[in-house]
Every structure is written in C-alpha cells, then in structure tokens.
C-alpha cells in the first residue's frame, strides 16, 4: 500500500474517532457552551494590586492580654472555702477559666495576678485570646475550614458568580481546572497549579487532549514581595518528549530559548515567560509600567507593552464572572489573559493564537489556598440533554 493511501486511511480513521467521541456522550458532563467572542468594554473598575506578604507572626498581646507573661506567682485574694475546694477538685479547668476571665479588660485587673495564671494555661492560649480578627480573616487563614465549606456553584441574583468568601492577598496556592478548546471544538481538559513560598514560585500547566499526547508547561523562578515573579526557566513537553524551553541567566544577562535552547538574546529587566506574565499582572494589578515587556513562549521572544485591553464578562453558561482582559501580541502570535478581580486576579481564561492554531482554556473550577471557591455544575451534553 502506498504511503499516500496510508496517510488518507489514518486521516479517515482519526475523523471517525473524533466524530464517534463527539456523538457518544463520552465527553464530561461539565461542559461549556462556547459563546461568541464579545467586544471589550471600557474598564469601569480598576484591578487592584494584591498584597503578597506571608502571614506575619502574631504581635505580642497588648492591654489586659499583654499581662499574660511568665513571672513569679503572687498570692491571689482569699476566696470562700467552698470555692477553694471546688477549684482544688478541678484545677486545670479553673486555671483555664481564670485565664479567659483575665483576657477581658477590667479596671481591677492586676499584672501580677494575670502573670501567675499564665503558668497554668496551654501554650497557645495567648494566641487564641489575642486574636481579635473578624471571622472572615480567620476563615482565610484556616484552609481546612475553607475546604470543608460548601462551594458556590450557582450565580447570585445579579447573574454574576462570586467566591464563597472574600479573598484577600495574592494566593499562596491556587488550582484551576480548564476545558481546552482547539478552535471551536472542545479537545480536552487542563489544569493549572500555582504555588509560592520560600522565595520562589512554581507554575505547572498541563493539557490532556481526548486524542493525542499530553501537553505540559513548567515555569519556575524566584518570588519577591517587591518585584514579584522573576522566572528562571520555562520548559514544555509533548508527551514524554521535551520541547521548547527558555532559560533566564541574570548573571550573564542572557535569555536562551528554542527547541534546543540554541537561540540567544540579551535579557531585559522585568522579562517574563508567557505563563508567569499572567501571574505577574495579577499580583501587580496590571500595572507593569509603560515600557515594553520582554516575553518568551520558549519558541519565540517578543516585546510588548502590557496594559489592560478592556473589560469583559466570562460567560460560564451558569453565570458570569467579571474580568479584565490583557492582550500580548507580536510576530503573528496573540496571547490573552482574562483575569478575575474577585477571584484573586486569577486567569479564568487563557487564549493563544498563532498562524497555525487557536487554543482556548476556559476555567470550570477555581480553588484558592486549598479551598474550593467555585465549580461549574454539570451541564447538558448530547447524552444527557433531556435530563435537565
């Protein structure tokens, strides 16, 4: 059989498999209907830069609570005999209750008495007493409590989707689930994993097509509270095979990139890879200055001034999310990031277009700091369209 016939046979088989999958109901029930692209509007709400400070150590308690420090015990005022016997019978409980009583400001309270009772308290008692933060702040710190709370899946009365709790600061960790569209056809699913800590960051993006090898991009580098992301490397894989990459050599002032890392350019201040750029924009509230930003995809490098292109709504089919759109364009490539201010400026949509293809990642799940914040409820598919 000739090579041409083999190619035609392979194409016919691939087409048959695609059509079979699309019509079989095997696609996930969580599926976005692809709405037409919308015109961008003028920005009505400015995206805010986010605080990236790590949770600070709690300050030394002040006021009445500040008296809870180890010291030489002083005799407490005499109490009736019946109360003293009861205290002796339940010493640990009485000590705990006395500490809690001392935490309330009182004109009659004295430092020696509070210092004496400190010795009977648990090691973390002062932390619990000293805390006067609102409940919302405590929920933001306690990821386990957040993770057990119900996920906001439905839109509010205004038709917009909001996180289940107010999100403060730039995330230490975030996970987004995406549906991946190739052109206008859903081709698979993807995941974005973001984490930062110990002066660095890691950004792992993967896409799993229904047919074909898995795609993966890994961006790693430093993270500074003042300057934000400082990428060291970007590596792409197609299946198990390493593909294009980029290496940021700050000491030598060089940017190496390409399939073999054999291309070399001068490294410009503030350079980003195409994925770290989205998180740098989110951290800085979109304010990266008027100068062009050096951006690399691993295959190409171009410079483009990053500023908001406009405001839009991300239509999930089950509600809308307000977004600010940033667009980087150069050498025939277009990269768009749809950042959601209410969801910690995270990218709920990423579009990459070049002369050969258009890839569109649309979020259907958002977790922040280990806590589910939104998940798209099951949508009708061909197989289940009559179940709704």
């Amino acid at each position: 059989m000739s090579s041409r016939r083999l190619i035609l046979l392979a194409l016919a088989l691939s087409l048959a498999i695609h059509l079979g999958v699309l019509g079989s109901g095997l696609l996930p029930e969580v599926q976005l209907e692809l709405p037409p692209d919308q015109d961008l509007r003028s920005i009505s709400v400015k995206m805010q830069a986010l605080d990236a400070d790590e949770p600070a150590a709690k300050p030394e308690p002040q006021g009445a609570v500040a008296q809870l420090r180890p010291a030489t015990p002083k005799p407490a005022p005499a109490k009736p005999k019946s109360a003293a016997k009861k205290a002796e019978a339940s010493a640990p409980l009485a000590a705990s209750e006395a500490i809690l009583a001392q935490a309330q400001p009182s004109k009659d309270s004295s430092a020696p008495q509070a210092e004496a009772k400190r010795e009977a308290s648990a090691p973390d008692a002062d932390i619990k007493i000293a805390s006067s933060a609102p409940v919302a702040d405590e929920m933001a710190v306690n990821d386990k409590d957040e993770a057990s709370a119900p996920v906001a899946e439905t839109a509010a009365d205004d038709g917009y989707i909001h996180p289940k709790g107010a999100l403060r600061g730039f995330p230490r960790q975030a996970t987004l689930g995406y549906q991946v569209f190739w052109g206008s056809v859903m081709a698979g699913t993807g995941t974005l994993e973001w984490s930062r800590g110990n002066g660095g960051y890691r950004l792992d993006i993967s896409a799993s097509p229904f047919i074909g090898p898995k795609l993966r991009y890994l961006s790693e580098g430093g993270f500074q509270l003042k300057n934000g992301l400082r990428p060291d490397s970007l590596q792409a894989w197609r299946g198990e095979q390493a593909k294009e990459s980029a290496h940021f050599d700050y000491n030598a002032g060089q940017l190496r990139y390409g399939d073999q890392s054999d291309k070399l350019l001068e490294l410009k201040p503030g350079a980003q890879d195409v994925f770290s750029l989205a998180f740098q924009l989110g951290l800085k509230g979109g304010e990266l200055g008027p100068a062009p930003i050096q951006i690399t995809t691993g295959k190409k490098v171009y410079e483009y001034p990053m500023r908001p292109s406009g405001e839009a709504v991300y239509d999930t089919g089950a509600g809308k999310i307000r977004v600010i759109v940033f667009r980087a364009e150069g050498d025939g490539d277009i990269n768009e990031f749809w950042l959601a201010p209410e969801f910690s400026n995270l990218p709920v949509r990423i579009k990459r277009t070049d002369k050969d293809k258009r890839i569109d990642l649309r979020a259907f799940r958002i977790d922040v700091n280990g806590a589910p914040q939104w998940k798209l409820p099951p949508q009708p598919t061909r197989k289940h369209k009559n179940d709704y």
Side-chain angles (χ1 to χ4, degrees):
M1 186 179 293
S2 66
S3 59
R4 183 173 180 177
R5 286 189 175 183
L6 286 174
I7 293 174
L8 291 175
L9 180 60
L11 288 174
L13 181 61
S14 176
L15 178 61
I17 293 174
H18 276 78
L19 292 175
V21 171
L22 291 173
S24 65
L26 295 177
L27 298 183
E29 292 187 12
V30 176
Q31 183 172 346
L32 299 175
E33 291 293 334
L34 198 61
D37 283 338
Q38 56 189 283
D39 294 331
L40 300 182
R41 306 190 301 267
S42 298
I43 296 175
S44 59
V45 179
K46 183 180 179 181
M47 193 168 70
Q48 300 295 320
L50 299 180
D51 185 8
D53 286 336
E54 296 292 338
K58 290 185 179 293
E60 192 69 30
Q62 301 296 322
V65 180
Q67 299 169 8
L68 301 178
R69 297 177 179 174
T72 304
K74 302 293 182 181
K79 296 182 180 180
K81 291 184 178 181
S82 58
K85 291 181 179 180
K86 184 177 181 181
E88 291 175 357
S90 57
L93 177 61
S96 175
E97 294 174 345
I99 291 174
L100 291 174
Q102 284 293 329
Q104 304 296 328
S106 173
K107 294 182 180 180
D108 297 333
S109 62
S110 62
Q113 294 173 358
E115 292 168 355
K117 293 180 176 59
R118 171 69 158 90
E119 295 181 353
S121 65
D124 61 343
D126 58 334
I127 295 178
K128 294 181 180 179
I129 297 171
S131 175
S132 60
V135 175
D137 291 341
E138 293 296 325
M139 290 177 62
V141 174
N142 194 333
D143 294 339
K144 292 183 178 179
D145 290 344
E146 286 183 335
S148 63
V151 182
E153 295 188 352
T154 58
D157 293 340
D158 59 2
Y160 285 89
I161 297 169
H162 309 282
K164 69 178 183 66
L167 299 175
R168 296 178 176 86
F170 199 63
R172 301 181 304 279
Q173 186 275 337
T175 302
L176 285 85
Y178 294 94
Q179 290 191 336
V180 181
F181 289 84
W182 186 285
S184 60
V185 177
M186 183 179 169
T189 59
T191 304
L192 181 152
E193 295 278 356
W194 157 263
S195 60
R196 65 177 177 92
N198 299 322
Y201 80 88
R202 178 185 174 92
L203 184 53
D204 198 339
I205 305 101
S206 62
S208 300
F210 297 133
I211 299 175
K214 180 179 179 179
L215 306 177
R216 184 187 175 206
Y217 299 87
L218 178 62
S219 172
E220 295 180 300
F223 187 92
Q224 302 171 341
L225 296 182
K226 181 179 179 181
N227 298 322
L229 283 74
R230 191 171 185 255
D232 291 328
S233 63
L234 171 68
Q235 179 65 60
W237 289 270
R238 183 178 176 87
E240 300 297 324
Q241 183 180 7
K243 302 295 286 186
E244 67 269 17
S245 64
H247 300 275
F248 301 73
D249 189 338
Y250 296 97
N251 293 328
Q254 296 177 338
L255 175 60
R256 292 187 175 274
Y257 67 102
D259 288 337
Q260 306 297 328
S261 296
D262 54 351
K263 299 178 181 179
L264 185 65
L265 282 177
E266 177 187 356
L267 181 62
K268 302 293 182 64
Q272 298 288 331
D273 66 61
V274 71
F275 296 106
S276 67
L277 175 63
F279 281 77
Q280 182 75 340
L281 286 167
L283 172 65
K284 297 296 184 180
E287 298 293 336
L288 301 186
I293 305 297
Q294 188 179 42
I295 307 166
T296 179
T297 63
K299 287 185 176 181
K300 301 178 181 179
V301 177
Y302 48 88
E303 297 184 22
Y304 191 81
M306 290 305 304
R307 59 179 63 94
S309 300
E311 180 179 317
V313 292
Y314 172 52
D315 190 351
T316 70
K320 300 177 180 180
I321 298 176
R322 293 184 177 89
V323 297
I324 305 297
V325 179
F326 293 83
R327 180 179 293 147
E329 185 174 0
D331 196 22
D333 295 352
I334 301 175
N335 293 278
E336 278 189 8
F337 307 104
W338 292 37
L339 307 186
E342 284 193 80
F343 288 89
S344 301
N345 294 343
L346 291 171
V348 296
R349 186 181 182 188
I350 301 173
K351 290 173 59 179
R352 297 191 63 187
T353 306
D354 58 28
K355 62 181 181 180
D356 299 321
K357 61 186 178 300
R358 170 183 156 176
I359 301 176
D360 194 351
L361 280 70
R362 293 171 172 256
F364 66 86
R365 177 172 65 93
I366 303 174
D367 298 349
V368 178
N369 293 334
Q373 294 295 334
W374 169 73
K375 182 180 179 181
L376 183 70
Q379 301 295 297
T381 62
R382 292 178 182 271
K383 182 178 180 179
H384 304 281
K385 63 181 179 181
N386 296 322
D387 298 342
Y388 293 81

